[in-house]
Structures are given as C-alpha cells and as structure tokens.
C-alpha cells in the first residue's frame, strides 16, 4: 500500500479532531484525568508550556493514526465497524489501565472508572480512520 494524500489527510484530521475533543472532554470534566498528564507521570517535558505538550500529543496521534491506516488496509475483508469496535475496546482498556494502574481496583470498579464519552470519541475516530482506509483500499484495488 502506497502513501497517498488521503492517507496523510485522514491521519491529520483524526489527530486534530482527537486533540480538540480531548481538550473539550478535559475542560468540561468528562474525564477526570489530564490528557497531557503523561508528561508528569513519565517525568518528561515538565518544564515545557502546556500548548507544546498538546502539540506533541497531536504529533503522537498523527503517527498512531498513520500506522492504523496502514494496518486497517490489511483488514479490508472485516467490516470497518467491527474492526474499529475491537480496536476501540483494546485501546480504551489499555489507556484506562495505564491511568489507574496504581489504584487497587477490582474489575467492577475498573469498568466503572472507564469514561463513556472518551470511549465514544475514540470509537468514532477509529471508525473514521479504518472506514476511510478500507474504502480507499477497495476502491483503488
């Protein structure tokens, strides 16, 4: 699969949408953690301004969506809705586990801590990236 402008623009738009949506969720307290809190947790970039951390998070998202676009092109026989749902569940559990790793939570408490708006946001974004990838793969091949 070759890199096209659709590939790049899909990753850019998904990254921008992710950053704007995460900022919205954080400002209105739909998530109880900070999306740029990983810098404190990993003791990296702690002296950098907040806007630069958001830009760096956007670049990380761009790279992840760029890779996801390639991987999704390989799974074009699976319906995009199903594959995006599977990816969403895996990613949300991983992210929430990384956030709550030090908390002594039972499985029920952990499931209650998962942010539904956060999960819905990433389900929509993953559906966008995977759906675009599968559509372009089927159209061009």
């Amino acid at each position: 699969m070759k890199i096209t402008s659709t590939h790049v623009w899909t990753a850019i738009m998904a990254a921008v949408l992710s950053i704007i949506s995460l900022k919205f969720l954080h400002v209105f307290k739909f998530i109880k953690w900070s999306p740029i809190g990983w810098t404190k947790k990993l003791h990296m970039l702690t002296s950098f301004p907040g806007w630069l951390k958001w830009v760096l998070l956007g670049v990380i998202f761009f790279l992840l969506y760029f890779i996801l676009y390639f991987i999704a092109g390989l799974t074009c026989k699976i319906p995009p809705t199903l594959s995006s749902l599977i990816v969403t569940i895996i990613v949300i559990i991983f992210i929430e586990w990384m956030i709550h790793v030090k908390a002594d939570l039972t499985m029920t408490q952990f499931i209650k801590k998962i942010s539904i708006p956060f999960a819905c946001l990433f389900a929509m974004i993953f559906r966008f990236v995977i759906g675009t990838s599968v559509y372009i793969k089927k159209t061009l091949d």
Side-chain angles (χ1 to χ4, degrees):
M1 184 175 215
K2 64 180 183 174
I3 297 174
T4 62
S5 63
T6 305
H7 184 161
V8 174
W9 280 108
T10 301
I12 288 172
M13 293 311 296
V16 168
L17 180 63
S18 296
I19 293 300
I20 291 170
S21 300
L22 278 175
K23 186 67 176 170
F24 176 83
L25 291 177
H26 180 65
V27 166
F28 292 105
K29 306 219 183 320
F30 286 110
I31 51 177
K32 294 177 177 46
W33 45 271
S34 173
I36 56 172
W38 57 272
T39 58
K40 291 178 188 167
K41 191 173 189 176
L42 298 176
H43 306 291
M44 297 173 42
L45 313 170
T46 52
S47 63
F48 283 46
W51 67 268
L52 190 58
K53 293 177 188 178
W54 282 99
V55 169
L56 182 60
L57 186 62
V59 170
I60 292 169
F61 277 142
F62 170 78
L63 294 173
L64 292 175
Y65 293 137
F66 197 81
I67 293 167
L68 178 64
Y69 189 97
F70 270 124
I71 294 171
L74 301 173
T75 63
C76 63
K77 298 207 188 261
I78 301 172
T81 305
L82 181 63
S83 56
S84 64
L85 185 63
I86 292 168
V87 170
T88 301
I89 291 170
I90 292 169
V91 168
I92 294 300
I93 288 175
F94 176 74
I95 291 172
E96 292 282 350
W97 178 77
M98 291 298 293
I99 292 167
H100 302 296
V101 71
K102 295 200 179 189
D104 245 356
L105 301 174
T106 64
M107 185 56 87
T108 307
Q109 292 170 330
F110 176 72
I111 291 172
K112 287 181 181 178
K113 290 267 185 190
I114 293 175
S115 171
I116 301 299
F118 178 66
C120 292
L121 163 75
F122 275 94
M124 290 185 295
I125 293 171
F126 290 149
R127 176 63 174 93
F128 166 65
V129 173
I130 292 171
T132 304
S133 175
V134 169
Y135 175 76
I136 294 297
K137 176 76 173 176
K138 287 182 178 180
T139 304
L140 295 180
D141 287 346

